[in-house]
Amino acid sequence: MYNQPNQTDFDQLLTVKQVAQRAAISVASVWRLSKSGDLPQPVRIGRSVRWRASDLQKHIQAPE
């Protein structure tokens, strides 16, 4: 009776290393761009910092 959610029902949360890999930039650049507002703002979960994959994808695909 309970419908199991699939992966598309949840937004994947990415680490700074994963963001750097996807954007083809350095980890330091991720922090710098995030601080300046040129990357989507991360989500804080306790002491962890993560970026939503969907936010990053939208940002990468957005026309300049």
Side-chain angles (χ1 to χ4, degrees), residues 7-50:
Q7 186 62 28
T8 59
D9 292 337
F10 297 103
D11 199 1
Q12 185 178 10
L13 296 174
L14 306 173
T15 65
V16 66
K17 287 181 182 181
Q18 291 171 319
V19 172
Q21 240 179 355
R22 287 188 182 202
I25 58 177
S26 69
V27 169
S29 293
V30 172
W31 290 118
R32 185 176 59 252
L33 292 171
S34 181
K35 185 176 179 180
S36 70
D38 292 327
L39 272 181
Q41 289 300 306
V43 176
R44 292 201 172 269
I45 303 171
R47 294 176 63 189
S48 298
V49 177
R50 301 289 187 266

Side-chain angles (χ1 to χ4, degrees), residues 1-2 7 16-17 25 28 33 51 56 58 64:
M1 307 304 169
Y2 176 75
Q7 186 62 28
V16 66
K17 287 181 182 181
I25 58 177
L33 292 171
W51 282 261
L56 186 62
K58 287 177 196 171
E64 293 181 28

